[in-house]
Amino acid sequence: METRSQWGTRAGFILAAVGSAVGLGNIWRFPAVAYENGGGAFLIPYLFALLTAGIPILILEFTMGHKYRGSAPLTFRRMNKKTEFIGWWAVLVAFVISTYYSVIIAWAMSYSVFSFNLNWGEDTGGFLFGDYLKLAENPGEVGSFVPGVLIPLILVWVIVLGILFKGVKKGIEIANRIFIPALVVIFLIIVIRAITLPGAMDGLEAFFTPDFSKILNPDVWVAAYGQIFFSLSIAFAIMITYSSYLPKKSDITNNAFITGFGNSSFEILAGIGVFGILGYMAGQLGEPVSEVVDAGVGLAFVVFPEIINQFPGLNALFGFLFFASLVLAGLTSLMSITETYVAGLMDKFKISRGKAVFFGGGVAALISLLFATQGGLYFLDAADYFINQFGVALLGLVEVVLIAWILREVKNLKDHANEISDIKLGAWWTVSLSLITPVVLGYMMYGLLKQNIMKEFDNATGNYEGYPDAFILWGGWAVAIGALVIGVVLAITKWKKPSVEDEETYKKEAQ
């Protein structure tokens, strides 16, 4: 008899997986990345990357979690005892991301309230960095707590940890059944309104007009793989954890295709909405669309408030809907990120869900308070850059090389997926995992290491200009390396022995 928590329905799992994949990056990162890398032509490498890296790794992680019935650390341990540390490394990467991701959701909560009275005024940049974040003058300064960030941050954690306390079926599944349809409806309203604005077609033309000359640039293909990789929530324990809650009979490959294409569809929808609105803004300012394109914090919390100020009719409602969509997208992702270390603690130390949520989520919430100080944005930038590039991307490379080349588990996992799935895996999946993905990720890591040796820092938020090298290098590397070191320590910590029933259940299911 299955003793592990399970999803109530297949739709519940898919909504949760899509909810994890659809996050802030879909709305504020993808449109700018696509625009800068060939517009409509970017969809060619993007689709290729989805089919040769995104969906193959989704299938891989869905299959691993389903076959080995555990959190990321337990899954890697059951695959090979020597690789448990990789599971903990992935969990620690998720832990770090949760500490600052929660703060960005808190900003969006505040801005959804600000929308009603347009509190940000005419100088939206000055309001964000000065009035709202009360940003310290120099990177490295902590300063005092900022109440406008601290209060919604506490609310974010109360919501997320409250949902996780309820468990998989009664908490995560029910929350995603509410949040994901609400997010889709809200964003459809935004998109419909956006494309009816004067100048919207100019924005859409800028977004979709293909620049095929860029297709031959290898950096464009790297950008496509990077976008797929970072937007699908792969390679940092989430999909392994979620799929471990699937019933024994589950269509792995179908679920992966639905999740992958669902995420990409939302990204393209976000691009239409964002560029429709940017086209309107460009028309109002009498400038080309290229002059108003931005990404990350700048797009969401500076450019969009400027647009909302000029919005024709019901601008307060439109502003609320936009920031509410950020909150919903963020909450569904934060739930999944936090569940990775909750599940890891439950498996390793045989503690109750309540205790795992209290200790794991509680520590993450306490650490997140650092980002609610006057120096919070500086620390957020350093942590985000290094944990994404040298946590998520490097983890993905290690994961596929380990499974495909060292443990040679591809055939075993393929057989497991094919046994229960309608869409059978063949040479496409094997070649993608064994050759295409490792080569592309290896090239990405080479470029990132070269960039950091040359001290050419950059990220989607664009806030590194003027940062001291020492702050980024020491602070950022401390976070990235610290996640790996703590992961190794947790891996060598003795397991609290599972019950006989748990081991017997797993062995029977594995046969």
Side-chain angles (χ1 to χ4, degrees):
M1 182 179 174
E2 177 70 80
T3 58
R4 191 170 183 81
S5 297
Q6 284 194 14
W7 300 104
T9 62
R10 178 184 180 185
F13 166 72
I14 291 173
L15 282 172
V18 170
S20 173
V22 172
L24 300 174
N26 297 67
I27 298 171
W28 73 25
R29 188 176 187 271
F30 171 77
V33 170
Y35 175 74
E36 291 165 2
N37 289 280
F42 179 73
L43 296 178
I44 295 172
Y46 176 81
L47 183 61
F48 189 82
L50 175 65
L51 294 174
T52 58
I55 290 175
I57 295 178
L58 267 181
I59 294 172
L60 171 69
E61 295 194 336
F62 282 178
T63 307
M64 287 168 62
H66 185 266
K67 179 178 172 64
Y68 294 105
R69 315 303 290 165
S71 58
L74 182 56
T75 291
F76 275 97
R77 178 181 173 82
R78 282 176 168 167
M79 193 179 296
N80 186 301
K81 287 187 177 180
K82 294 179 181 178
T83 64
E84 181 191 334
F85 80 94
I86 295 174
W88 282 113
W89 181 18
V91 164
L92 265 295
V93 166
F95 177 86
V96 172
I97 291 173
S98 72
T99 62
Y100 65 80
Y101 199 85
S102 55
V103 180
I104 302 173
I105 302 170
W107 298 352
M109 273 189 177
S110 294
Y111 267 67
S112 64
V113 176
F114 295 157
S115 298
F116 289 111
N117 294 315
L118 307 182
N119 293 57
W120 47 68
E122 295 299 320
D123 182 9
T124 56
F127 176 84
L128 172 66
F129 300 113
D131 297 341
Y132 179 58
L133 296 180
K134 303 187 188 305
L135 193 60
E137 288 189 17
N138 301 307
E141 290 181 17
V142 176
S144 58
F145 283 119
V146 179
V149 179
L150 180 62
I151 294 169
L153 175 61
I154 294 171
L155 181 58
V156 167
W157 281 114
V158 167
I159 293 170
V160 170
L161 299 186
I163 290 169
L164 295 184
F165 265 118
K166 286 284 191 179
V168 174
K169 187 187 296 186
K170 294 182 179 179
I172 300 171
E173 182 168 342
I174 289 175
N176 277 291
R177 282 180 175 275
I178 297 168
F179 291 168
I180 296 301
L183 172 62
V184 172
V185 169
I186 288 173
F187 218 81
L188 279 172
I189 293 170
I190 291 172
V191 169
I192 291 169
R193 183 66 186 100
I195 61 177
T196 58
L197 291 168
M201 291 303 113
D202 294 333
L204 295 181
E205 185 179 355
F207 180 57
F208 282 113
T209 299
D211 181 358
F212 290 108
S213 65
K214 292 190 175 181
I215 292 294
L216 299 177
N217 185 342
D219 290 341
V220 170
W221 289 80
V222 169
Y225 276 87
Q227 179 60 31
I228 286 293
F229 207 76
F230 294 126
S231 75
L232 270 178
S233 294
I234 48 180
F236 57 110
I238 293 174
M239 296 308 181
I240 293 174
T241 304
Y242 269 9
S243 59
S244 73
Y245 302 134
L246 281 168
K248 190 174 180 181
K249 292 184 178 180
S250 300
D251 193 329
I252 298 291
T253 54
N254 242 326
N255 289 344
F257 273 99
I258 293 169
T259 302
F261 281 107
N263 175 72
S264 293
S265 298
F266 188 87
E267 285 198 319
I268 294 171
L269 185 68
I272 293 170
V274 168
F275 268 84
I277 296 165
L278 291 177
Y280 165 74
M281 182 182 182
Q284 295 299 300
L285 298 175
E287 296 178 352
V289 175
S290 59
E291 293 297 313
V292 296
V293 175
D294 203 344
V297 172
L299 174 64
F301 298 102
V302 178
V303 175
F304 260 87
E306 284 181 14
I307 295 168
I308 293 164
N309 283 344
Q310 305 170 31
F311 209 77
L314 298 177
N315 56 352
L317 176 61
F318 182 85
F320 172 78
L321 291 175
F322 174 74
F323 289 109
S325 72
L326 291 185
V327 172
L328 289 172
L331 286 175
T332 56
S333 293
L334 183 60
M335 281 190 299
S336 63
I337 294 168
T338 308
E339 177 64 16
T340 63
Y341 48 89
V342 168
L345 292 172
M346 289 168 64
D347 284 346
K348 179 88 177 187
F349 301 106
K350 284 294 165 186
I351 58 177
S352 66
R353 168 169 286 275
K355 287 181 179 177
V357 171
F358 179 78
F359 289 114
V363 172
L366 285 174
I367 293 174
S368 73
L369 297 179
L370 172 65
F371 304 108
T373 62
Q374 289 174 290
L377 180 60
Y378 299 126
F379 292 106
L380 189 155
D381 272 344
D384 177 60
Y385 178 82
F386 277 85
I387 204 66
N388 268 294
Q389 313 297 351
F390 299 103
V392 178
L394 183 57
L395 251 170
L397 177 61
V398 170
E399 181 178 282
V400 292
V401 168
L402 173 77
I403 291 167
W405 295 357
I406 300 174
L407 299 181
R408 299 187 178 277
E409 278 283 317
V410 171
K411 185 180 185 305
N412 289 336
L413 293 169
K414 182 168 71 172
D415 290 344
H416 179 82
N418 283 343
E419 189 179 339
I420 57 177
S421 302
D422 288 338
I423 302 174
K424 307 302 180 186
L425 302 176
W428 152 76
W429 191 67
T430 304
V431 171
S432 293
L433 284 181
S434 305
L435 184 62
I436 299 174
T437 301
V439 168
V440 173
L441 288 179
Y443 182 80
M444 279 176 62
M445 291 311 304
Y446 166 75
L448 287 168
L449 286 170
K450 180 181 175 183
Q451 174 180 293
N452 280 271
I453 290 170
M454 299 297 291
K455 297 180 182 178
E456 296 171 352
F457 304 111
D458 187 25
N459 84 329
T461 60
N463 289 317
Y464 290 137
E465 190 174 350
Y467 281 30
D469 291 342
F471 174 75
I472 293 196
L473 284 170
W474 290 107
W477 279 116
V479 170
I481 296 172
L484 176 58
V485 171
I486 297 172
V488 172
V489 171
L490 283 168
I492 61 178
T493 303
K494 284 188 177 181
W495 283 72
K496 186 169 181 183
K497 293 227 177 214
S499 65
V500 175
E501 291 83 0
D502 285 346
E503 283 304 298
E504 288 300 318
T505 298
Y506 165 65
K507 286 175 183 176
K508 285 178 182 176
E509 289 188 349
Q511 289 174 353

